Amino acid sequence: MTNYDTLNKFQGNGMKNLLLSLAILFIATTNSYTKEDVKYITGKITLADDGDARKEVFVYSNREKAEKWFIIDTIKTNNNGEFKYKIPDNQNYLELHLAAPGYEAFMTRYIGGDANPRVEAVLSKRGIPKIIDSVDIFISAGRRDIREATTFDMLTDKNNFSFQVNLNNEIYSKINPKDIDTIGYYLVLNDGITYTPNSHTGEWDYDHNGDYKAVRYPKDKIIDIDVDFGKYRVRESDNDTSLTNGKWVNSPINSKYNEILDLMPLKDIFDIDYNYYVFVRQYSDEYLKDYSQEYIDSMKIAITKKVDRLIRINDSLLKVIKTPILNDYLKVNKLYLMQVTDTSSNHAFRVDVFNSVKEFPFLFYDVIDGMLYRSEFLNDPKSNVDIVEKMFNKIESNTERTSLKNRFYYSLSRTKVAYEPGGYDFIIDRINNYISEEDLSELQLDGMKRTIEKMDFMISKIPPKLEFKSIDGKYYSLSDFAGKWVLLDFWGTWCGPCVAETPNLIKAYEMFKDKGFEIIGIANDRGVDVIKEYSEKNNIKWTQTIQMKGYIENVLKDYKISAFPTMMLINPQGEFDTKVQSELRGESLIETLKQKIGK
């Protein structure tokens, strides 16, 4: 059997119809998880064309998206492509990428419970179009990714292509000069897909999304790049862009888990949260202004149907999946979908899930964040915190348990609970107990220290010193606004939720500007011109400055800003009136100002 025969054997495992999937996914087992002696994941990587590229496995914490800072380990295979990975103690959720430079990686997720979990994959080169009429370069340096169009004359040479990248060009001016010493690059062909530069013979950098960037060290900021299309697989049709595939072998629980993910892809679930917010709830006109009403109506119908379909699938699977860890995953997934549609106000159901699951996946932490602002939680925060802490304490993995707790206490510190009588002391006591009871990393300890510092700031009454130059060149201090209500808005044009608040801020400013109300926008952005352009485009008339030299410095540190947008209301006496975000964002801002200033 050839490697391509093996590849073909792996194919055809796409989305099955629901009845067939339910039959396949039925597992009559009472296996527990985390108590088994599961210590290793084994596997094998095969290259479809028998290439000699190095083969490696990237292991990540189980998060929404694989990122370099979530890497737990990188494993090299032996000459036969075999690997063996020791699973961290009590770790029940992982993401694995089986990869090789020049080939599209196989990405899969691991869940605890199998005695001898094993995953095998055949990696294929990504297929390029039969006809190529454009080639662009996609440069990655530091935190910047920049795409530049290049000149390509297919009639001159159909197989080879050479061009030069000059990093002195204006297009690359936004890249930090210290990042220019090392750059990565992809090719982008006329189909808009990024391709690993297969002609590259030097170093590689995995992009954590299935492909590799070629690494270069520019001399005099000049890079010569050669492309040989003969080193790519030419696809037969638009449907065979990717032939990479894989599967879990003799691992029934992981096989079923990944079939569940095929039926309800995580990307679909997490994308629904945003799209439901924009098109179904229509929370902000700012998000909708570029769409026609016909498109908005069609999206609303499509998204509503998609959510309903996913909930039905999830409910059907819950009836037949009896393996504890898979059943727990489905319970939490349902809770997430219910929260998207705002039907999870059934607090009893939420509490039942929290009490029944053995391990809450970090993937769905937003379920907990969303609960913190609901009346059911705020009416009895101490009892509800007890429920959440009890759920976290069942998690045996120190890494997952402490990651969830760190984020939970940070989120809790930003709620109204911190401002209520006894609330500050209650949260501080919980954080101190957490620090004394858990084995925390230096990063986690630092995070809790900053959370406490932020809480101290949030209950303070006197604003730190604020002197600045506005984007139109005028100099101010906070004392210049004495006798007025002042809303400080920490924001950025890159921040979607910040931009969504613009219509609310404009409405508030127009309603109250003649009643002793002012807004000071403090931007964290690329430059003054960006803020000026946005302000002119949106007819923003209030005072704006930006954190950068010559305007205002250290303001984010002084005001303990760790999230955008953040708003703070200062009263006419120059003291903080409220920093509770739920009172200052969205439609709540107008109601808050009516109460403070009057109608």
Side-chain angles (χ1 to χ4, degrees), residues 25-223:
L25 290 169
F26 180 80
I27 307 174
T29 177
T30 58
N31 285 349
S32 178
Y33 55 93
T34 73
K35 294 300 183 183
E36 301 171 5
D37 294 328
V38 177
K39 294 187 179 295
Y40 294 96
I41 297 173
T42 63
K44 183 176 183 179
I45 300 174
T46 302
L47 302 183
D49 60 357
D50 291 322
D52 59 0
R54 75 169 187 264
K55 300 180 258 315
E56 52 195 347
V57 181
F58 297 90
V59 183
Y60 303 84
S61 298
N62 188 47
R63 300 295 184 263
E64 179 181 343
K65 181 181 179 182
E67 304 278 2
K68 62 181 179 182
W69 38 83
F70 295 143
I71 287 183
I72 297 175
D73 208 346
T74 304
I75 307 106
K76 307 294 184 186
T77 72
N78 65 17
N79 292 336
N80 295 322
E82 292 278 348
F83 68 89
K84 187 175 184 180
Y85 171 66
K86 185 180 183 302
I87 302 170
D89 292 342
N90 303 311
Q91 195 82 16
N92 283 308
Y93 288 94
L94 295 168
E95 182 170 353
L96 278 69
H97 292 192
L98 285 63
Y103 299 80
E104 185 184 5
F106 174 66
M107 299 177 284
T108 187
R109 290 185 184 258
Y110 161 84
I111 198 168
D114 283 318
N116 299 292
R118 179 176 175 81
V119 60
E120 298 178 356
V122 177
L123 309 186
S124 173
K125 293 180 178 179
R126 195 184 295 277
I128 63 174
K130 288 183 178 181
I131 299 176
I132 299 170
D133 52 29
S134 69
V135 180
D136 296 350
I137 183 74
F138 195 98
I139 293 286
S140 177
R143 290 181 174 270
R144 294 287 184 183
D145 291 325
I146 298 175
R147 177 172 170 176
E148 179 185 14
T150 63
T151 302
F152 176 61
D153 184 357
M154 186 176 174
L155 298 177
T156 302
D157 195 330
K158 294 183 178 181
N159 294 317
N160 297 288
F161 177 57
S162 298
F163 59 93
Q164 190 177 80
V165 173
N166 186 344
L167 297 174
N168 294 296
N169 287 348
E170 178 65 23
I171 190 174
Y172 301 110
S173 62
K174 294 178 181 178
I175 298 178
N176 191 321
K178 69 181 181 180
D179 294 327
I180 291 290
D181 291 341
T182 304
I183 65 103
Y185 73 91
Y186 304 96
L187 302 178
V188 184
L189 306 186
N190 45 274
D191 57 0
I193 298 174
T194 57
Y195 291 88
T196 296
N198 283 351
S199 301
H200 182 67
T201 58
E203 298 178 31
W204 299 93
D205 182 22
Y206 185 59
D207 71 353
H208 314 289
N209 194 37
D211 289 301
Y212 284 79
K213 295 176 285 189
V215 177
R216 298 289 292 271
Y217 302 94
K219 184 177 181 181
D220 299 325
K221 295 186 178 181
I222 301 295
I223 308 172

Side-chain angles (χ1 to χ4, degrees), residues 102-374:
Y103 299 80
E104 185 184 5
F106 174 66
M107 299 177 284
T108 187
R109 290 185 184 258
Y110 161 84
I111 198 168
D114 283 318
N116 299 292
R118 179 176 175 81
V119 60
E120 298 178 356
V122 177
L123 309 186
S124 173
K125 293 180 178 179
R126 195 184 295 277
I128 63 174
K130 288 183 178 181
I131 299 176
I132 299 170
D133 52 29
S134 69
V135 180
D136 296 350
I137 183 74
F138 195 98
I139 293 286
S140 177
R143 290 181 174 270
R144 294 287 184 183
D145 291 325
I146 298 175
R147 177 172 170 176
E148 179 185 14
T150 63
T151 302
F152 176 61
D153 184 357
M154 186 176 174
L155 298 177
T156 302
D157 195 330
K158 294 183 178 181
N159 294 317
N160 297 288
F161 177 57
S162 298
F163 59 93
Q164 190 177 80
V165 173
N166 186 344
L167 297 174
N168 294 296
N169 287 348
E170 178 65 23
I171 190 174
Y172 301 110
S173 62
K174 294 178 181 178
I175 298 178
N176 191 321
K178 69 181 181 180
D179 294 327
I180 291 290
D181 291 341
T182 304
I183 65 103
Y185 73 91
Y186 304 96
L187 302 178
V188 184
L189 306 186
N190 45 274
D191 57 0
I193 298 174
T194 57
Y195 291 88
T196 296
N198 283 351
S199 301
H200 182 67
T201 58
E203 298 178 31
W204 299 93
D205 182 22
Y206 185 59
D207 71 353
H208 314 289
N209 194 37
D211 289 301
Y212 284 79
K213 295 176 285 189
V215 177
R216 298 289 292 271
Y217 302 94
K219 184 177 181 181
D220 299 325
K221 295 186 178 181
I222 301 295
I223 308 172
D224 292 311
I225 296 176
D226 296 315
V227 179
D228 181 356
F229 291 121
K231 294 185 177 181
Y232 289 86
R233 178 180 65 83
V234 178
R235 61 184 188 237
E236 294 299 319
S237 70
D238 290 339
N239 296 324
D240 75 343
T241 302
S242 171
L243 294 181
T244 284
N245 218 322
K247 65 178 181 178
W248 289 88
V249 180
N250 298 322
S251 309
I253 293 176
N254 273 283
S255 294
K256 307 320 171 193
Y257 177 48
N258 281 275
E259 286 170 2
I260 289 172
L261 296 178
D262 283 344
L263 281 170
M264 298 182 291
L266 287 171
K267 186 179 186 306
D268 285 1
I269 288 173
F270 293 128
D271 284 351
I272 278 175
D273 194 359
Y274 172 81
N275 288 326
Y276 201 96
Y277 176 86
V278 173
F279 293 105
V280 181
R281 292 189 192 176
Q282 298 184 12
Y283 178 78
S284 172
D285 292 339
E286 185 70 15
Y287 286 125
L288 298 171
K289 65 182 183 181
D290 296 329
Y291 301 109
S292 68
Q293 189 60 49
E294 182 180 3
Y295 180 79
I296 293 170
D297 291 342
S298 66
M299 285 293 290
K300 182 177 181 179
I301 293 170
I303 293 164
T304 302
K305 287 182 176 179
K306 190 169 188 177
V307 174
D308 290 344
R309 180 179 66 82
L310 289 170
I311 290 176
R312 288 198 305 271
I313 292 173
N314 200 88
D315 285 345
S316 298
L317 296 176
L318 272 170
K319 293 177 182 178
V320 297
I321 300 294
K322 303 304 178 185
T323 302
I325 195 168
L326 295 176
N327 191 269
D328 283 358
Y329 174 86
L330 291 167
K331 286 179 182 176
V332 179
N333 190 53
K334 178 178 180 178
L335 193 55
Y336 185 92
L337 289 169
M338 290 176 68
Q339 181 162 292
V340 167
T341 59
D342 203 29
T343 56
S344 59
S345 55
N346 183 343
H347 194 56
F349 174 73
R350 183 188 299 110
V351 171
D352 179 64
V353 172
F354 287 174
N355 286 333
S356 64
V357 298
K358 184 166 185 180
E359 178 158 348
F360 186 95
F362 192 100
L363 272 173
F364 297 114
Y365 176 80
D366 284 350
V367 166
I368 296 170
D369 247 5
M371 175 192 69
L372 296 179
Y373 297 93
R374 295 182 179 274

Side-chain angles (χ1 to χ4, degrees), residues 406 431 434-436 438-452:
N406 254 59
I431 292 175
Y434 164 55
I435 291 173
S436 65
E438 295 282 12
D439 180 18
L440 304 182
S441 67
E442 289 186 14
L443 186 62
Q444 289 172 325
L445 281 170
D446 182 63
M448 286 296 93
K449 177 183 176 183
R450 285 185 282 109
T451 295
I452 292 173

Side-chain angles (χ1 to χ4, degrees), residues 376-521:
E376 303 97 330
F377 176 85
L378 297 173
N379 290 339
D380 189 5
K382 294 184 179 180
S383 296
N384 285 301
V385 168
D386 285 341
I387 291 169
V388 174
E389 288 180 335
K390 184 178 178 181
M391 175 181 67
F392 288 161
N393 287 333
K394 290 185 287 184
I395 300 173
E396 297 183 3
S397 165
N398 181 72
T399 300
E400 294 301 295
R401 184 178 62 255
T402 54
S403 295
L404 282 164
K405 285 188 174 183
N406 254 59
R407 185 164 174 183
F408 173 65
Y409 292 122
Y410 167 75
S411 299
L412 183 63
S413 73
R414 292 174 59 84
T415 66
K416 294 176 67 173
V417 177
Y419 303 94
E420 295 175 349
Y424 172 87
D425 291 336
F426 165 68
I427 296 174
I428 292 296
D429 286 345
R430 294 300 175 108
I431 292 175
N432 285 333
N433 289 340
Y434 164 55
I435 291 173
S436 65
E437 293 170 359
E438 295 282 12
D439 180 18
L440 304 182
S441 67
E442 289 186 14
L443 186 62
Q444 289 172 325
L445 281 170
D446 182 63
M448 286 296 93
K449 177 183 176 183
R450 285 185 282 109
T451 295
I452 292 173
E453 290 175 349
K454 179 69 176 283
M455 285 191 67
D456 290 339
F457 173 78
M458 295 303 280
I459 65 170
S460 65
K461 298 298 290 183
I462 306 302
K465 182 179 180 181
L466 187 66
E467 296 178 342
F468 61 92
K469 182 174 78 171
S470 67
I471 60 173
D472 55 3
K474 298 177 181 178
Y475 290 87
Y476 296 94
S477 68
L478 193 56
S479 61
D480 294 330
F481 299 87
K484 291 187 175 184
W485 288 89
V486 178
L487 182 71
L488 302 182
D489 173 30
F490 295 88
W491 73 293
T493 59
W494 49 268
C495 163
C498 301
V499 170
E501 293 294 338
T502 298
N504 301 318
L505 293 170
I506 291 173
K507 184 178 179 181
Y509 186 74
E510 291 301 320
M511 285 181 66
F512 298 101
K513 66 180 181 179
D514 296 327
K515 298 180 180 181
F517 174 68
E518 183 58 69
I519 299 175
I520 301 176

